[in-house]
Amino acid sequence: MSPPVSASRYILRSRLLRGAFISLVISGIGISITIPQITLFLVGELHLTDAQAGLYFLTNLTAPIVGYVVGSLSDRAGSRLLVFRLSALAGFAGWVLMAVAMQAWMPFAINAILLSAAGAGAAQLQAAVRDELNRSPTPADNEVVAVIRMAMAFGWIVGPVLGAVLGAVIGLRPLLLVTGISVLLSLVPLIGVRTDAVVRDVTPTRSSQMNSAARAAHPRSMLPLVVFTGIYVLIMCGETVKLAYLPLYMDGDLRVDAGVRGAVIGLQPLVELLLMPIAAKLASRFGFARVLIVGAMMAVAAHVSYASAGFVVPHLVPLVIGQLLMAGVIATFGVLGITVAQRLVPTRVGMASSVFLSAYAINAAVGGFAGSVGSSWLGIPQLFWIPAVIATLGVIALVVLNARVPLDAGTASASIPEQP
């Protein structure tokens, strides 16, 4: 038996893959500094109610439209990194404007326009990674994608703790400026990196064979992609509820200090780092569909655990258990979901990447609405029963989709000899 292939070796040898990884680490730190604090900012600085703060996330409903436009532009122009760079500038401007916002409506408009564009452009890094693997296939493509996706998790380990502490020390408005600067700094690792024009049909390698199989299994219709993205929204909408309301619950009800709050939030991405390579290997052995279904079931269990926090002493225990379960959810969908999405529409990888990753923003909108309703109706933490029910619907829908459009189609491949 040949020894296992190290994905990190292929990443280190490619300027694009190496730069994308470092850029995503920086972005992950910057975004995770602020996102868990955004409801605190809206409530504390702009004097919104808890329910109104949850409605902020509804502005993310513009994301799929922006994602489709930006992704299609990337496919046509063939310049993934140019689109990413422009989106980073939009993100920098958005966070700076957010930091100086004085009216309650301003964060809503900024998020709907500038930050949605920034997120859609950032998805083009994932498309650029797929283009690179199509041009130069490796024996460890799944593992390479897993390591690249782990980059954001690296940032999320540090960011929540750093954000909680910095927010308490320097204030929430300066914290938003730090996020804007981080988004701008994410451009630095890719300075001077160029990519070839997007390859529509590559030479007869494993990737082109896989794309041919995918085209046969999945027509060029976008319907399977849209359905798969919608299922991901159902499964992941509770993540926004968690980021919005767990900090409020730990701060207001449990009186947990800032460092512990940040540690509870940061525990999840730490575990994700351990689970992502495992998810990639399990998918190679057992198939993408089985691993994704197990991940979806873990989402239901996580939300049930959060909801039970009010009945369990000490109250932090079910929160920690929920974080561990959600780490498994994101490890599976974070690594495998983007690959499935790209293979559902293999001729338009940029658009597929932006549409699927726009699910993060839609998650925020659906989760924000569910959290707003739930906080008023059920209170915290009982509001997590709502995403538990929604995630259950997602599990059922995923099983049905896989029965109609097998998610493993086009993922099997012949082995490629390891490149020297």
Side-chain angles (χ1 to χ4, degrees):
M1 180 181 293
S2 59
V5 179
S6 172
S8 59
R9 189 180 73 172
Y10 295 102
I11 293 174
L12 290 173
R13 283 166 43 180
S14 167
R15 287 193 66 195
L16 171 62
L17 298 181
R18 186 172 65 248
F21 179 86
I22 298 172
S23 177
L24 288 171
V25 170
I26 296 172
S27 294
I29 293 174
I31 297 300
S32 63
I33 281 175
T34 293
I35 294 301
Q37 312 298 322
I38 196 68
T39 50
L40 295 175
F41 168 74
L42 295 173
V43 172
E45 297 289 334
L46 297 181
H47 310 296
L48 275 67
T49 66
D50 290 355
Q52 289 171 335
L55 294 177
Y56 162 82
F57 297 100
L58 285 177
T59 57
N60 288 314
L61 289 175
T62 61
I65 300 172
V66 176
Y68 179 82
V69 172
V70 171
S72 297
L73 175 64
S74 173
D75 286 330
R76 292 191 182 97
S79 181
R80 313 285 193 205
L81 295 186
L82 174 60
V83 174
F84 164 70
R85 287 163 179 145
L86 292 174
S87 75
L89 294 176
F92 169 72
W95 286 112
V96 170
L97 290 174
M98 189 86 78
V100 299
M102 299 303 296
Q103 301 295 323
W105 62 268
M106 294 178 67
F108 292 77
I110 292 167
N111 192 49
I113 301 171
L114 291 174
L115 298 186
S116 291
Q124 297 313 301
L125 273 186
Q126 304 296 333
V129 168
R130 174 51 53 192
D131 290 339
E132 182 75 0
L133 293 176
N134 284 347
R135 280 188 290 263
S136 304
T138 77
D141 279 6
N142 285 344
E143 287 75 12
V144 168
V145 173
V147 173
I148 295 295
R149 296 289 288 164
M150 286 165 61
M152 290 291 283
F154 276 116
W156 273 84
I157 292 174
V158 178
V161 178
L162 185 61
V165 174
L166 279 179
V169 173
I170 66 175
L172 294 176
R173 289 185 183 275
L175 193 66
L176 300 181
L177 287 175
V178 172
T179 294
I181 293 170
S182 298
V183 171
L184 195 62
L185 288 176
S186 69
L187 294 173
V188 174
L190 291 165
I191 291 177
V193 177
R194 297 182 180 179
T195 58
D196 297 329
V198 175
V199 179
R200 300 289 182 182
D201 293 296
V202 294
T203 55
T205 63
R206 177 183 71 167
S207 294
S208 62
Q209 293 166 0
M210 288 162 52
N211 283 348
S212 297
R215 291 188 188 98
H218 309 301
R220 296 181 65 182
S221 168
M222 283 185 56
L223 183 59
L225 171 64
V226 172
V227 173
F228 182 62
T229 302
I231 290 170
Y232 184 49
V233 170
L234 296 177
I235 291 167
M236 286 295 297
C237 70
E239 181 71 358
T240 297
V241 179
K242 180 198 75 179
L243 292 175
Y245 289 98
L246 275 194
L248 290 174
Y249 177 57
M250 289 188 286
D251 180 52
D253 291 39
L254 302 184
R255 303 296 181 185
V256 174
D257 65 54
V260 175
R261 293 201 313 267
V264 171
I265 299 298
L267 172 65
Q268 177 180 312
L270 176 62
V271 179
E272 288 170 23
L273 288 177
L274 302 176
L275 295 182
M276 281 181 173
I278 297 174
K281 291 182 182 298
L282 289 175
S284 297
R285 182 173 180 180
F286 298 107
F288 281 39
R290 290 181 180 179
V291 179
L292 289 174
I293 290 171
V294 171
M297 294 171 66
M298 293 175 72
V300 178
H303 302 322
V304 171
S305 184
Y306 294 137
S308 67
F311 308 103
V312 178
V313 179
H315 300 298
L316 284 180
V317 170
L319 302 185
V320 171
I321 293 174
Q323 288 292 80
L324 296 176
L325 289 167
M326 282 306 299
V329 180
I330 296 180
T332 54
F333 279 87
V335 171
L336 309 179
I338 186 67
T339 300
V340 170
Q342 290 169 343
R343 287 169 178 168
L344 287 172
V345 192
T347 58
R348 302 182 68 186
V349 169
M351 181 276 297
S353 299
S354 285
V355 168
F356 177 74
L357 293 180
S358 71
Y360 287 102
I362 307 172
N363 291 340
V366 176
F369 179 74
S372 179
V373 172
S375 63
S376 300
W377 179 31
L378 300 174
I380 309 174
Q382 285 75 26
L383 62 85
F384 284 98
W385 290 112
I386 296 176
V389 172
I390 295 174
T392 300
L393 297 176
V395 174
I396 297 170
L398 184 62
V399 173
V400 172
L401 175 65
N402 184 57
R404 293 179 175 272
V405 184
L407 301 180
D408 290 315
T411 60
S413 60
S415 60
I416 292 179
E418 184 176 347
Q419 300 173 5

